[in-house]
Amino acid sequence: MIKNAFILNFFKLYNMLWRLSIPFLKKNKRLRSGFEKRIDSFHHTKADIWIQAASAGEAFLAANILKRLSPKTYLKILVTTTTAQGMDILQTRLTKKMIHKSIDLKIEWFPFDMPDTIEKTIKIINPRVMVLLETEIWPALLYYLKLNKTRIFIINARLSKNSYTHYLKTKFFWKHLSPDTILATSDKDAQRYEQVFEGAMVNTMPNIKFEAIDTDEDDVNTLKQIKKILPQALPLTILASVRKQEEKEMVHILKNILKTVPNQVVAIFPRHIHRVSAWEKRLTSQNLNFHLRSKINSCLKNPCIILWDTFGELKTVYGLASVVFVGGSLKPLGGQNFIEPAIQGAVIVTGPYYDDFAWATNDIFKKGIVIKQNYWKAVARTITQALEKPGSRSDRKRLALEYLQSNQGGTQQACHEILKVFDV
Protein backbone atom coordinates (compact mmCIF):
# COMPACT_ATOMS: atom_id res chain seq x y z
CA MET A 1 0.00 0.00 0.00
CA ILE A 2 2.82 2.39 0.85
CA LYS A 3 4.38 1.89 -2.61
CA ASN A 4 1.51 3.32 -4.65
CA ALA A 5 2.32 5.42 -7.71
CA PHE A 6 1.35 8.75 -6.17
CA ILE A 7 3.66 8.27 -3.17
CA LEU A 8 6.61 7.28 -5.36
CA ASN A 9 6.13 10.20 -7.75
CA PHE A 10 5.74 12.58 -4.82
CA PHE A 11 9.11 11.55 -3.39
CA LYS A 12 10.84 11.98 -6.77
CA LEU A 13 9.58 15.57 -6.90
CA TYR A 14 10.25 16.13 -3.20
CA ASN A 15 13.85 14.96 -3.61
CA MET A 16 14.40 17.25 -6.59
CA LEU A 17 13.10 20.28 -4.64
CA TRP A 18 15.49 19.51 -1.78
CA ARG A 19 18.42 19.25 -4.20
CA LEU A 20 17.56 22.62 -5.72
CA SER A 21 17.31 24.24 -2.30
CA ILE A 22 20.67 23.00 -0.93
CA PRO A 23 22.77 25.98 -2.25
CA PHE A 24 20.36 28.40 -0.56
CA LEU A 25 20.20 26.44 2.69
CA LYS A 26 23.99 26.46 2.84
CA LYS A 27 23.91 30.25 3.14
CA ASN A 28 21.60 30.13 6.17
CA LYS A 29 23.57 31.07 9.30
CA ARG A 30 21.44 28.83 11.53
CA LEU A 31 22.19 25.77 9.36
CA ARG A 32 25.93 26.24 8.89
CA SER A 33 26.86 24.18 11.93
CA GLY A 34 27.22 20.58 10.82
CA PHE A 35 25.96 21.37 7.32
CA GLU A 36 27.88 18.53 5.62
CA LYS A 37 26.41 16.09 8.11
CA ARG A 38 22.91 17.35 7.34
CA ILE A 39 23.19 16.36 3.67
CA ASP A 40 25.04 13.04 3.96
CA SER A 41 25.07 9.78 5.91
CA PHE A 42 28.82 9.01 6.08
CA HIS A 43 29.10 9.71 9.83
CA HIS A 44 26.25 7.50 11.05
CA THR A 45 26.51 4.05 12.65
CA LYS A 46 24.06 1.36 13.77
CA ALA A 47 21.68 2.31 16.61
CA ASP A 48 18.86 0.47 18.36
CA ILE A 49 16.94 3.67 19.17
CA TRP A 50 16.95 6.96 17.28
CA ILE A 51 15.53 10.00 19.07
CA GLN A 52 14.96 13.25 17.17
CA ALA A 53 14.90 16.43 19.28
CA ALA A 54 14.41 19.31 16.86
CA SER A 55 15.33 22.33 18.95
CA ALA A 56 15.89 23.50 22.52
CA GLY A 57 12.50 22.49 23.92
CA GLU A 58 12.64 19.00 22.46
CA ALA A 59 16.30 18.63 23.53
CA PHE A 60 15.25 19.13 27.16
CA LEU A 61 12.57 16.46 26.70
CA ALA A 62 15.07 14.04 25.15
CA ALA A 63 17.48 14.64 28.04
CA ASN A 64 14.71 13.88 30.55
CA ILE A 65 13.84 10.63 28.80
CA LEU A 66 17.43 9.44 28.47
CA LYS A 67 18.23 10.21 32.11
CA ARG A 68 15.33 7.98 33.19
CA LEU A 69 15.77 5.23 30.61
CA SER A 70 17.00 2.05 32.35
CA PRO A 71 17.32 -0.76 29.79
CA LYS A 72 17.86 -4.35 30.90
CA THR A 73 20.20 -4.95 27.97
CA TYR A 74 22.93 -2.95 26.22
CA LEU A 75 21.43 -0.40 23.78
CA LYS A 76 23.00 1.92 21.23
CA ILE A 77 21.05 5.17 21.11
CA LEU A 78 21.37 8.01 18.62
CA VAL A 79 19.99 11.45 19.48
CA THR A 80 19.81 14.04 16.71
CA THR A 81 18.90 17.72 16.72
CA THR A 82 18.33 20.43 14.13
CA THR A 83 19.63 23.56 15.92
CA ALA A 84 22.88 24.68 17.55
CA GLN A 85 20.99 25.40 20.76
CA GLY A 86 19.58 21.88 20.77
CA MET A 87 23.06 20.45 20.23
CA ASP A 88 24.46 22.48 23.12
CA ILE A 89 21.70 21.29 25.48
CA LEU A 90 22.15 17.64 24.52
CA GLN A 91 25.92 17.72 24.91
CA THR A 92 25.70 19.54 28.25
CA ARG A 93 22.90 17.50 29.81
CA LEU A 94 23.74 14.04 28.50
CA THR A 95 27.25 13.29 29.67
CA LYS A 96 28.22 9.65 30.28
CA LYS A 97 27.73 10.02 34.06
CA MET A 98 24.14 11.20 33.60
CA ILE A 99 22.78 8.15 31.75
CA HIS A 100 22.41 4.43 32.46
CA LYS A 101 25.55 2.31 32.12
CA SER A 102 23.83 0.06 29.55
CA ILE A 103 23.35 2.96 27.12
CA ASP A 104 25.92 3.75 24.43
CA LEU A 105 24.92 7.27 23.39
CA LYS A 106 25.81 9.21 20.26
CA ILE A 107 24.70 12.80 19.54
CA GLU A 108 24.53 14.03 15.94
CA TRP A 109 22.89 16.52 13.57
CA PHE A 110 19.52 15.58 12.07
CA PRO A 111 19.70 15.17 8.28
CA PHE A 112 17.56 17.20 5.95
CA ASP A 113 14.42 15.29 4.93
CA MET A 114 15.88 14.71 1.48
CA PRO A 115 14.68 11.24 0.36
CA ASP A 116 18.07 10.13 -1.04
CA THR A 117 19.88 11.09 2.18
CA ILE A 118 17.18 9.77 4.50
CA GLU A 119 17.04 6.41 2.73
CA LYS A 120 20.81 5.89 3.10
CA THR A 121 20.78 7.14 6.69
CA ILE A 122 18.04 4.74 7.79
CA LYS A 123 19.76 1.78 6.10
CA ILE A 124 22.93 2.54 8.08
CA ILE A 125 21.28 3.28 11.44
CA ASN A 126 18.64 0.56 11.01
CA PRO A 127 16.82 1.52 14.23
CA ARG A 128 14.32 -0.78 15.88
CA VAL A 129 12.66 2.27 17.44
CA MET A 130 12.31 5.87 16.25
CA VAL A 131 11.20 8.47 18.79
CA LEU A 132 9.91 11.78 17.44
CA LEU A 133 9.17 14.51 19.98
CA GLU A 134 6.16 16.86 19.91
CA THR A 135 5.40 17.70 16.25
CA GLU A 136 8.28 16.25 14.25
CA ILE A 137 6.51 15.05 11.11
CA TRP A 138 8.78 14.57 8.08
CA PRO A 139 7.38 12.62 5.09
CA ALA A 140 10.61 11.04 3.81
CA LEU A 141 11.67 10.06 7.32
CA LEU A 142 8.33 8.38 8.05
CA TYR A 143 8.25 6.68 4.64
CA TYR A 144 11.67 5.04 4.87
CA LEU A 145 11.26 4.16 8.54
CA LYS A 146 8.09 2.27 7.65
CA LEU A 147 9.86 0.48 4.78
CA ASN A 148 12.55 -0.44 7.29
CA LYS A 149 9.88 -1.82 9.66
CA THR A 150 11.09 0.50 12.41
CA ARG A 151 8.61 1.03 15.23
CA ILE A 152 7.74 4.76 15.18
CA PHE A 153 6.65 6.74 18.25
CA ILE A 154 5.58 10.37 18.52
CA ILE A 155 5.99 11.22 22.20
CA ASN A 156 4.79 14.31 24.06
CA ALA A 157 2.81 14.86 20.89
CA ARG A 158 1.00 18.10 20.25
CA LEU A 159 -0.63 19.49 17.13
CA SER A 160 -1.68 23.13 16.87
CA LYS A 161 -4.99 24.08 15.28
CA ASN A 162 -3.24 25.56 12.23
CA SER A 163 -1.02 22.50 11.72
CA TYR A 164 -3.99 20.19 12.18
CA THR A 165 -5.96 22.03 9.48
CA HIS A 166 -2.99 21.77 7.11
CA TYR A 167 -2.41 18.04 7.70
CA LEU A 168 -6.12 17.26 7.48
CA LYS A 169 -6.26 18.68 3.95
CA THR A 170 -3.62 16.13 2.89
CA LYS A 171 -4.93 13.26 5.02
CA PHE A 172 -4.98 10.90 2.00
CA PHE A 173 -1.17 11.21 1.94
CA TRP A 174 -0.43 10.93 5.67
CA LYS A 175 -2.54 7.81 6.13
CA HIS A 176 0.24 5.91 4.32
CA LEU A 177 2.86 7.25 6.76
CA SER A 178 1.18 6.65 10.12
CA PRO A 179 3.45 6.19 13.14
CA ASP A 180 2.77 3.10 15.26
CA THR A 181 2.16 4.86 18.58
CA ILE A 182 1.32 8.47 19.42
CA LEU A 183 1.30 9.68 23.03
CA ALA A 184 -0.42 13.09 23.02
CA THR A 185 -0.31 15.62 25.84
CA SER A 186 -4.04 16.40 25.77
CA ASP A 187 -7.35 14.89 24.63
CA LYS A 188 -7.62 17.60 21.97
CA ASP A 189 -4.17 16.80 20.56
CA ALA A 190 -5.01 13.08 20.63
CA GLN A 191 -8.22 13.67 18.64
CA ARG A 192 -6.34 15.71 16.06
CA TYR A 193 -3.67 13.04 15.58
CA GLU A 194 -6.34 10.34 15.25
CA GLN A 195 -7.91 12.29 12.42
CA VAL A 196 -4.61 12.78 10.55
CA PHE A 197 -2.99 9.37 11.09
CA GLU A 198 -5.46 6.56 10.57
CA GLY A 199 -4.24 3.30 12.01
CA ALA A 200 -1.93 4.78 14.64
CA MET A 201 -2.46 3.81 18.27
CA VAL A 202 -3.16 7.12 20.00
CA ASN A 203 -3.18 7.61 23.77
CA THR A 204 -2.60 10.52 26.14
CA MET A 205 0.28 11.13 28.55
CA PRO A 206 1.30 13.77 31.11
CA ASN A 207 3.44 16.44 29.47
CA ILE A 208 7.13 15.78 30.12
CA LYS A 209 7.66 19.53 30.40
CA PHE A 210 6.18 19.36 33.90
CA GLU A 211 9.22 17.31 34.89
CA ALA A 212 11.60 19.80 33.26
CA ILE A 213 10.54 22.62 35.61
CA ASP A 214 13.52 23.62 37.74
CA THR A 215 12.69 22.96 41.40
CA ASP A 216 16.28 23.01 42.63
CA GLU A 217 17.25 25.22 45.55
CA ASP A 218 18.47 28.72 44.70
CA ASP A 219 22.18 29.40 44.58
CA VAL A 220 23.01 30.39 48.18
CA ASN A 221 25.68 32.96 47.27
CA THR A 222 23.47 34.67 44.68
CA LEU A 223 20.61 34.81 47.18
CA LYS A 224 22.85 36.38 49.82
CA GLN A 225 24.08 39.04 47.40
CA ILE A 226 20.54 39.97 46.33
CA LYS A 227 19.25 40.09 49.91
CA LYS A 228 22.03 42.53 50.74
CA ILE A 229 20.72 45.13 48.29
CA LEU A 230 16.93 44.81 48.79
CA PRO A 231 15.09 46.57 51.64
CA GLN A 232 13.59 43.64 53.57
CA ALA A 233 10.66 45.63 54.97
CA LEU A 234 9.23 46.50 51.54
CA PRO A 235 7.30 44.19 49.20
CA LEU A 236 8.98 43.33 45.90
CA THR A 237 7.08 43.37 42.59
CA ILE A 238 8.74 41.83 39.55
CA LEU A 239 7.88 42.66 35.95
CA ALA A 240 9.59 39.64 34.42
CA SER A 241 10.73 38.79 30.89
CA VAL A 242 9.21 41.96 29.44
CA ARG A 243 9.31 42.06 25.64
CA LYS A 244 9.82 45.10 23.44
CA GLN A 245 6.27 44.99 22.06
CA GLU A 246 4.71 45.38 25.53
CA GLU A 247 7.04 47.99 27.03
CA LYS A 248 4.49 50.79 26.61
CA GLU A 249 1.88 48.84 28.60
CA MET A 250 4.52 47.99 31.21
CA VAL A 251 5.16 51.69 31.83
CA HIS A 252 1.42 52.20 32.37
CA ILE A 253 1.36 49.30 34.84
CA LEU A 254 4.45 50.60 36.59
CA LYS A 255 3.05 54.10 37.09
CA ASN A 256 -0.31 52.76 38.19
CA ILE A 257 1.00 50.37 40.86
CA LEU A 258 3.47 52.93 42.22
CA LYS A 259 0.70 55.50 42.53
CA THR A 260 -1.57 53.07 44.39
CA VAL A 261 1.12 51.36 46.48
CA PRO A 262 4.11 53.71 46.67
CA ASN A 263 5.91 51.74 49.39
CA GLN A 264 7.32 48.93 47.28
CA VAL A 265 10.33 47.96 45.19
CA VAL A 266 9.65 47.22 41.53
CA ALA A 267 12.22 45.16 39.61
CA ILE A 268 12.06 45.28 35.80
CA PHE A 269 13.63 42.34 33.96
CA PRO A 270 13.72 42.90 30.17
CA ARG A 271 13.50 39.62 28.26
CA HIS A 272 16.49 40.68 26.17
CA ILE A 273 19.38 42.48 27.82
CA HIS A 274 19.91 44.81 24.85
CA ARG A 275 16.59 46.48 25.73
CA VAL A 276 18.05 47.93 28.95
CA SER A 277 19.14 51.17 27.23
CA ALA A 278 15.65 51.58 25.74
CA TRP A 279 14.20 51.13 29.23
CA GLU A 280 16.56 53.75 30.64
CA LYS A 281 15.22 56.24 28.08
CA ARG A 282 11.59 55.30 28.79
CA LEU A 283 11.91 55.66 32.54
CA THR A 284 13.83 58.93 32.25
CA SER A 285 11.24 60.39 29.86
CA GLN A 286 8.51 59.56 32.42
CA ASN A 287 10.50 61.17 35.28
CA LEU A 288 10.77 57.80 36.99
CA ASN A 289 13.98 57.46 38.97
CA PHE A 290 15.63 54.05 38.89
CA HIS A 291 18.73 52.10 39.86
CA LEU A 292 20.65 49.82 37.54
CA ARG A 293 21.17 46.47 39.26
CA SER A 294 24.84 46.44 38.25
CA LYS A 295 25.44 49.78 40.01
CA ILE A 296 23.92 48.87 43.39
CA ASN A 297 26.65 48.21 45.97
CA SER A 298 24.79 48.61 49.27
CA CYS A 299 21.33 48.04 50.72
CA LEU A 300 18.60 50.27 49.30
CA LYS A 301 16.68 52.06 52.04
CA ASN A 302 13.64 53.45 50.24
CA PRO A 303 10.95 52.43 47.72
CA CYS A 304 12.44 52.39 44.23
CA ILE A 305 12.61 50.95 40.73
CA ILE A 306 15.43 48.56 39.85
CA LEU A 307 16.23 48.00 36.18
CA TRP A 308 17.87 44.57 36.20
CA ASP A 309 20.77 44.66 33.74
CA THR A 310 22.60 41.49 34.85
CA PHE A 311 22.14 37.87 33.75
CA GLY A 312 21.17 34.76 35.67
CA GLU A 313 19.44 36.17 38.76
CA LEU A 314 15.74 36.14 37.87
CA LYS A 315 14.99 32.66 39.26
CA THR A 316 16.63 33.59 42.58
CA VAL A 317 14.77 36.90 42.81
CA TYR A 318 11.47 35.06 42.27
CA GLY A 319 11.95 33.56 45.73
CA LEU A 320 11.92 37.05 47.28
CA ALA A 321 9.02 38.52 45.29
CA SER A 322 5.55 39.31 46.61
CA VAL A 323 4.05 39.59 43.11
CA VAL A 324 5.36 38.58 39.67
CA PHE A 325 3.95 39.65 36.34
CA VAL A 326 5.21 37.25 33.65
CA GLY A 327 5.80 39.09 30.39
CA GLY A 328 5.59 38.11 26.76
CA SER A 329 1.87 37.74 27.44
CA LEU A 330 0.21 41.12 26.84
CA LYS A 331 0.86 40.72 23.12
CA PRO A 332 0.75 37.49 21.07
CA LEU A 333 4.40 36.63 21.72
CA GLY A 334 4.05 33.12 23.13
CA GLY A 335 4.34 34.00 26.81
CA GLN A 336 6.98 32.92 29.34
CA ASN A 337 7.22 30.28 32.06
CA PHE A 338 4.77 31.15 34.86
CA ILE A 339 5.08 27.83 36.70
CA GLU A 340 8.67 28.47 37.81
CA PRO A 341 7.83 31.61 39.84
CA ALA A 342 4.56 30.06 41.07
CA ILE A 343 6.37 27.29 42.94
CA GLN A 344 8.31 30.00 44.78
CA GLY A 345 5.09 31.20 46.42
CA ALA A 346 4.61 34.64 44.87
CA VAL A 347 1.29 35.87 43.45
CA ILE A 348 1.63 35.26 39.71
CA VAL A 349 -0.10 37.33 37.02
CA THR A 350 0.00 36.78 33.26
CA GLY A 351 -1.61 38.37 30.24
CA PRO A 352 -3.97 36.55 27.84
CA TYR A 353 -1.27 35.25 25.45
CA TYR A 354 0.70 32.20 26.55
CA ASP A 355 0.65 29.83 23.56
CA ASP A 356 4.12 28.45 24.29
CA PHE A 357 2.88 27.38 27.74
CA ALA A 358 -0.65 26.27 26.86
CA TRP A 359 0.48 22.78 27.91
CA ALA A 360 0.15 23.97 31.52
CA THR A 361 -3.64 23.41 31.15
CA ASN A 362 -6.44 25.63 32.47
CA ASP A 363 -6.29 23.99 35.90
CA ILE A 364 -3.50 26.36 36.86
CA PHE A 365 -5.90 29.29 36.43
CA LYS A 366 -8.95 27.54 37.89
CA LYS A 367 -7.02 26.77 41.06
CA GLY A 368 -5.81 30.36 41.36
CA ILE A 369 -2.14 29.40 41.12
CA VAL A 370 -1.73 31.87 38.26
CA ILE A 371 -4.07 34.81 37.59
CA LYS A 372 -4.80 35.60 33.95
CA GLN A 373 -5.87 39.11 32.94
CA ASN A 374 -6.64 40.45 29.49
CA TYR A 375 -5.60 44.12 29.75
CA TRP A 376 -2.83 46.11 31.39
CA LYS A 377 -5.32 47.88 33.69
CA ALA A 378 -6.57 44.55 35.02
CA VAL A 379 -2.97 43.40 35.50
CA ALA A 380 -2.17 46.57 37.47
CA ARG A 381 -5.30 46.17 39.60
CA THR A 382 -4.42 42.55 40.40
CA ILE A 383 -0.88 43.50 41.41
CA THR A 384 -2.05 46.25 43.76
CA GLN A 385 -4.69 43.98 45.31
CA ALA A 386 -2.04 41.32 45.96
CA LEU A 387 0.24 43.90 47.57
CA GLU A 388 -2.53 45.22 49.79
CA LYS A 389 -3.74 41.71 50.78
CA PRO A 390 -0.78 39.38 50.25
CA GLY A 391 -2.33 36.18 51.67
CA SER A 392 -0.28 33.10 52.60
CA ARG A 393 2.93 32.54 50.66
CA SER A 394 3.33 29.01 52.03
CA ASP A 395 -0.22 28.08 50.91
CA ARG A 396 0.46 29.34 47.38
CA LYS A 397 3.75 27.46 47.24
CA ARG A 398 2.13 24.23 48.45
CA LEU A 399 -0.71 24.52 45.94
CA ALA A 400 1.71 25.14 43.05
CA LEU A 401 3.94 22.18 44.00
CA GLU A 402 0.90 19.89 44.33
CA TYR A 403 -0.27 20.98 40.89
CA LEU A 404 3.19 20.35 39.42
CA GLN A 405 3.53 16.90 40.99
CA SER A 406 0.00 15.85 39.96
CA ASN A 407 0.90 16.50 36.32
CA GLN A 408 4.15 14.53 36.30
CA GLY A 409 4.75 10.96 35.17
CA GLY A 410 5.12 11.51 31.43
CA THR A 411 8.80 10.58 31.32
CA GLN A 412 8.19 7.27 33.06
CA GLN A 413 5.34 6.43 30.66
CA ALA A 414 7.49 7.28 27.63
CA CYS A 415 10.39 5.15 28.87
CA HIS A 416 8.04 2.22 29.53
CA GLU A 417 6.58 2.36 26.00
CA ILE A 418 10.02 2.56 24.37
CA LEU A 419 11.58 -0.30 26.35
CA LYS A 420 8.50 -2.50 25.88
CA VAL A 421 9.68 -3.06 22.30
CA PHE A 422 12.93 -4.59 23.55
CA ASP A 423 11.23 -6.67 26.25
CA VAL A 424 9.34 -8.46 23.49
Side-chain angles (χ1 to χ4, degrees):
M1 184 174 68
I2 198 171
K3 290 188 176 182
N4 67 46
F6 174 80
I7 293 283
L8 295 174
N9 287 328
F10 167 81
F11 281 112
K12 286 179 183 177
L13 176 61
Y14 187 53
N15 195 70
M16 183 176 68
L17 292 173
W18 269 108
R19 290 290 175 194
L20 291 171
S21 66
I22 291 298
F24 302 98
L25 293 172
K26 197 169 186 178
K27 295 177 182 178
N28 188 308
K29 291 180 181 179
R30 295 181 65 188
L31 299 175
R32 283 178 187 169
S33 298
F35 191 84
E36 294 305 315
K37 290 185 173 183
R38 297 176 192 266
I39 60 172
D40 211 328
S41 56
F42 65 91
H43 54 291
H44 286 297
T45 54
K46 173 77 177 73
D48 301 294
I49 301 173
W50 179 2
I51 301 175
Q52 162 57 3
S55 190
E58 293 85 356
F60 281 118
L61 300 180
N64 263 41
I65 291 170
L66 282 161
K67 285 177 181 178
R68 293 283 295 275
L69 203 65
S70 301
K72 295 175 183 177
T73 56
Y74 175 81
L75 289 178
K76 287 187 175 183
I77 300 179
L78 168 68
V79 186
T80 54
T81 185
T82 310
T83 67
Q85 191 178 15
M87 180 64 75
D88 182 58
I89 291 165
L90 291 173
Q91 290 175 340
T92 303
R93 291 178 173 256
L94 289 174
T95 61
K96 197 169 184 178
K97 292 180 181 178
M98 296 177 179
I99 58 176
H100 196 274
K101 61 183 179 181
S102 296
I103 294 174
D104 179 5
L105 182 67
K106 186 179 180 183
I107 300 170
E108 278 293 356
W109 294 101
F110 182 66
F112 292 137
D113 196 50
M114 193 159 44
D116 285 353
T117 302
I118 289 291
E119 183 180 18
K120 291 175 186 175
T121 300
I122 290 172
K123 282 182 179 178
I124 294 169
I125 299 171
N126 190 25
R128 282 185 65 185
V129 171
M130 178 83 215
V131 177
L132 304 168
L133 295 168
E134 299 219 324
T135 319
E136 196 73 359
I137 302 172
W138 292 100
L141 180 70
L142 292 173
Y143 177 72
Y144 287 106
L145 285 169
K146 288 184 78 68
L147 287 183
N148 193 63
K149 301 190 183 306
T150 298
R151 188 162 182 82
I152 307 166
F153 291 86
I154 302 182
I155 287 175
N156 222 64
R158 59 184 179 85
L159 199 59
S160 70
K161 186 177 180 180
N162 287 341
S163 295
Y164 167 66
T165 303
H166 167 74
Y167 287 122
L168 203 58
K169 288 178 181 176
T170 52
K171 180 180 176 179
F172 68 93
F173 174 74
W174 296 107
K175 71 179 182 180
H176 297 291
L177 307 177
S178 286
D180 297 281
T181 302
I182 298 171
L183 298 179
T185 55
S186 72
D187 290 336
K188 185 178 287 185
D189 287 305
Q191 289 166 7
R192 288 171 179 170
Y193 270 106
E194 283 176 332
Q195 290 294 315
V196 174
F197 290 116
E198 288 183 1
M201 183 182 292
V202 183
N203 289 311
T204 57
M205 65 176 287
N207 198 314
I208 298 173
K209 289 179 179 177
F210 282 107
E211 290 161 72
I213 299 292
D214 188 358
T215 57
D216 293 341
E217 292 294 322
D218 295 325
D219 179 79
V220 175
N221 291 328
T222 304
L223 185 61
K224 283 181 180 177
Q225 292 301 316
I226 294 170
K227 280 185 172 180
K228 282 181 182 178
I229 67 170
L230 294 175
Q232 300 299 305
L234 295 175
L236 172 65
T237 300
I238 297 178
L239 305 180
S241 301
V242 176
R243 303 282 284 274
K244 176 183 176 181
Q245 296 90 330
E246 56 190 358
E247 287 176 4
K248 185 177 178 181
E249 286 81 1
M250 285 299 105
V251 172
H252 290 320
I253 290 171
L254 180 63
K255 292 172 75 173
N256 187 291
I257 64 176
L258 286 174
K259 182 180 179 181
T260 310
V261 185
N263 289 320
Q264 64 171 305
V265 176
V266 181
I268 303 168
F269 284 79
R271 178 70 180 89
H272 301 111
I273 204 74
H274 68 263
R275 294 302 301 168
V276 167
S277 58
W279 265 105
E280 289 182 87
K281 291 175 183 176
R282 280 188 181 276
L283 294 173
T284 302
S285 69
Q286 296 291 325
N287 296 316
L288 293 168
N289 296 322
F290 62 93
H291 302 272
L292 285 173
R293 161 68 181 98
S294 60
K295 304 294 184 184
I296 304 171
N297 298 312
S298 59
C299 186
L300 300 167
K301 304 297 182 184
N302 301 309
C304 62
I305 299 168
I306 303 174
L307 181 54
W308 224 275
D309 61 338
T310 55
F311 281 111
E313 295 180 328
L314 178 57
K315 178 180 177 292
T316 304
V317 185
Y318 279 154
L320 303 171
S322 300
V323 190
V324 177
F325 170 75
V326 182
S329 60
L330 280 176
K331 302 286 184 181
L333 302 166
Q336 293 294 140
N337 190 337
F338 41 63
I339 301 176
E340 203 167 75
I343 60 178
Q344 299 276 6
V347 175
I348 310 301
V349 192
T350 183
Y353 303 103
Y354 52 93
D355 287 358
D356 290 351
F357 295 86
W359 52 267
T361 74
N362 281 326
D363 276 356
I364 202 165
F365 303 117
K366 291 176 182 176
K367 293 179 179 180
I369 298 166
V370 177
I371 302 168
K372 178 174 62 175
Q373 298 292 10
N374 290 334
Y375 305 100
W376 74 259
K377 288 182 180 178
V379 170
R381 185 168 60 249
T382 303
I383 292 173
T384 55
Q385 287 170 350
L387 291 169
E388 290 167 346
K389 295 181 179 179
S392 171
R393 187 182 192 90
S394 60
D395 285 350
R396 287 193 297 269
K397 188 171 184 176
R398 175 184 53 77
L399 198 62
L401 285 169
E402 286 174 356
Y403 162 80
L404 184 63
Q405 290 161 5
S406 69
N407 282 284
Q408 293 179 340
T411 306
Q412 185 176 352
Q413 185 178 344
C415 290
H416 174 73
E417 290 293 333
I418 293 166
L419 292 179
K420 218 164 52 169
V421 176
F422 297 92
D423 289 342
V424 173

